[in-house]
Amino acid sequence: MSATLAEVLRTFGPAYLGQHDLSTAQARAWRAIVACRTPALGGKVQQCDQCGREQRLFHSCRNRHCPQCQSGARDAWRQAQLAELLPVPYCHLVFTLPHALNSLAQFHPRWVYRTLMQCAAATLTEFAANPRWLGATPAFTLVLHTWTQDLRRHIHVHALMACGGLDGQHQWCVPKRSPTFLFPVHALSKVLRGKFLDALQHAAEHGELALDPARTDADRQARLVDLKRHDWVVYAKTPLAGPEVVLDYLSRYTHRVAISNERIVGIDAIGVRLRVRADNHGGKRTVLIDGQTFIARFLQHVLPAGFKRIRHYGLLSPALKAEKLAAARAALAMPAANEQAREDAAAFLKRVAAIDIACCPHCKLGQWRTTAILPAQRAGGHDAIANCRGPP
């Protein structure tokens, strides 16, 4: 039978916690996922004003790693971005970090993730500024992912970038080679590699990577040689046209979590059965992963506290967006953004949630009315994570 991530944590969690420590972020995510939409978080009792049926609704945890909470958050984010898209083609690029850096990411995830996103952003900005390719300020969004289909570590950044930019005279510039071609991926790969390796060397020289598994100069030199030996993977996908298509496409990535409940086929005494991609044509297959291995793989994708995995740059950067987007719309002869049509993400989420649950599905006539508030049932000493150890 199918299962959920919360059930996996409840089933195999006690054995895992007996042998492993959790970071503060991992413990927080674990608690949230297990408690999501259960009495632990409290809720409310509702009654239909027509047929008298009752239902209990428990609160969501809203943790960004919880597979139950991301659908609504994704839809709200999509709604909030509607006014920021431009009527031009968009390119999707993927910047992948070599697996030789996975061990460093295990001990210094914040530094590795931040540096990859900074280097990818600097690379795209540098190419966009070059008159050979564009000669303008670009507009792009980066989204960090760290997983494969079977939850192994695979650190990469998705970039969605408008095919064009705004120059110093507030004129819209199209790519020089073709309306849908931005930059050559092999050149992007070389520049990305150079920027990241420079940052790595600087961090090592200034003692920023105290837990680096490459502890000696010889180890670090061997890693550097390995990283220079191979091309770094930068992949460009087919350009997208039309704001709605672009937004639908990007929203698939922005709030995707390492594992969705739909992909967990079932759990048993052996482990977790997981549905994964079998080919590039939509085929699927099922793999069996030991329970504790599954948990260990999942936890390595819990982001450091406060880390922003969705970042906007160029015309979309927070410091420039109000002025530069207005200039871009003017250069593209777009109508001004209709503020009345825009909707705050939180308001959208509240409105959609209310619509989803307002009508009684039994009689199809009544409306649900709240009749009681259910207080949170906080776990006590029996909480499996309450006594787990973690780094300071």
Side-chain angles (χ1 to χ4, degrees):
M1 65 176 180
S2 61
T4 65
L5 177 58
E7 290 178 68
V8 174
L9 296 179
R10 293 189 191 102
T11 301
F12 300 104
Y16 182 88
L17 293 173
Q19 302 178 37
H20 301 85
D21 296 338
L22 301 184
S23 69
T24 301
Q26 289 171 340
R28 184 180 296 117
W30 186 311
R31 287 193 183 95
I33 292 167
V34 171
C36 188
R37 301 182 190 180
T38 72
L41 296 183
K44 57 189 175 182
V45 178
Q46 292 189 322
Q47 186 176 48
C48 174
D49 59 11
Q50 292 293 320
C51 68
R53 293 283 189 113
E54 285 191 347
Q55 67 176 3
R56 295 187 173 209
L57 297 178
F58 297 110
H59 296 313
S60 299
C61 69
R62 299 185 182 180
N63 188 281
R64 59 178 169 171
H65 302 96
C66 176
Q68 293 194 99
C69 293
Q70 293 311 300
S71 177
R74 180 190 64 236
D75 293 341
W77 183 89
R78 182 189 183 283
Q79 179 72 13
Q81 304 304 309
L82 278 173
E84 298 182 1
L85 285 176
L86 301 171
V88 299
Y90 279 73
C91 278
H92 178 196
L93 302 106
V94 184
F95 297 82
T96 302
L97 203 63
H99 288 176
L101 289 165
N102 282 354
S103 59
L104 179 62
Q106 179 180 350
F107 294 97
H108 289 282
R110 187 184 299 275
W111 186 91
V112 171
Y113 300 159
R114 182 185 69 239
T115 303
L116 174 59
M117 297 190 81
Q118 288 175 342
C119 291
T123 299
L124 289 174
T125 301
E126 183 177 307
F127 272 73
N130 190 334
R132 179 183 179 187
W133 306 112
L134 185 59
T137 300
F140 62 95
T141 295
L142 299 184
V143 183
L144 174 73
H145 283 186
T146 62
W147 56 81
T148 63
Q149 286 267 302
D150 61 355
L151 296 181
R152 298 177 192 273
R153 197 187 298 274
H154 177 60
I155 305 167
H156 56 289
V157 167
H158 294 269
L160 196 70
M161 188 171 191
C163 290
L166 199 66
D167 67 12
Q169 289 71 47
H170 283 189
Q171 298 298 310
W172 187 259
C173 300
V174 297
K176 296 298 190 287
R177 183 172 295 188
S178 134
T180 58
F181 177 87
L182 280 170
F183 318 123
V185 293
H186 291 298
L188 289 173
S189 171
K190 291 180 180 178
V191 173
L192 175 71
R193 179 178 62 187
K195 290 183 181 299
F196 193 97
L197 293 184
D198 284 347
L200 180 60
Q201 184 174 350
H202 180 274
E205 291 175 350
H206 289 77
E208 298 176 23
L209 305 174
L211 300 178
D212 190 345
R215 297 187 177 278
T216 67
D217 289 340
D219 290 338
R220 289 189 287 271
Q221 185 61 33
R223 180 176 62 191
L224 182 62
V225 170
D226 184 38
L227 291 171
K228 287 182 176 179
R229 181 182 299 123
H230 305 289
D231 288 336
W232 289 30
V233 178
V234 177
Y235 174 65
K237 295 192 174 185
T238 304
L240 305 165
E244 293 293 329
V245 174
V246 170
L247 203 50
D248 285 340
Y249 190 83
L250 181 58
S251 64
R252 297 180 208 167
Y253 293 93
T254 53
H255 291 77
R256 183 175 290 176
V257 294
I259 180 66
S260 64
N261 287 334
E262 290 75 17
R263 291 207 297 119
I264 301 177
V265 178
I267 58 177
D268 53 35
I270 300 175
V272 183
R273 299 188 182 277
L274 185 65
R275 184 179 295 110
V276 300
R277 187 183 301 113
D279 53 49
N280 293 326
H281 306 290
K284 303 291 183 181
R285 63 187 177 92
T286 300
V287 297
L288 176 63
I289 305 175
D290 172 77
Q292 292 200 44
T293 300
F294 180 96
I295 291 177
R297 289 186 186 179
F298 168 74
L299 289 176
Q300 70 183 352
H301 305 300
V302 173
L303 295 173
F307 187 88
K308 297 183 182 299
R309 61 184 294 264
I310 306 172
R311 305 187 184 192
H312 306 284
Y313 299 88
L315 304 181
L316 300 178
S317 65
L320 301 176
K321 185 165 59 175
E323 174 190 352
K324 295 296 185 180
L325 270 184
R329 290 192 191 97
L332 290 164
M334 287 179 65
N338 183 356
E339 294 300 325
Q340 296 298 321
R342 298 186 63 179
E343 187 171 15
D344 176 80
F348 172 81
L349 188 58
K350 182 178 181 180
R351 178 174 63 82
V352 171
I355 292 173
D356 287 343
I357 65 174
C359 183
C360 174
H362 304 289
C363 67
K364 312 293 185 183
L365 298 173
Q367 299 288 307
W368 292 111
R369 307 298 181 191
T370 299
T371 59
I373 300 298
L374 300 173
Q377 298 179 12
R378 297 296 181 185
H382 62 280
D383 183 351
I385 305 182
N387 301 313
C388 75
R389 296 169 298 166

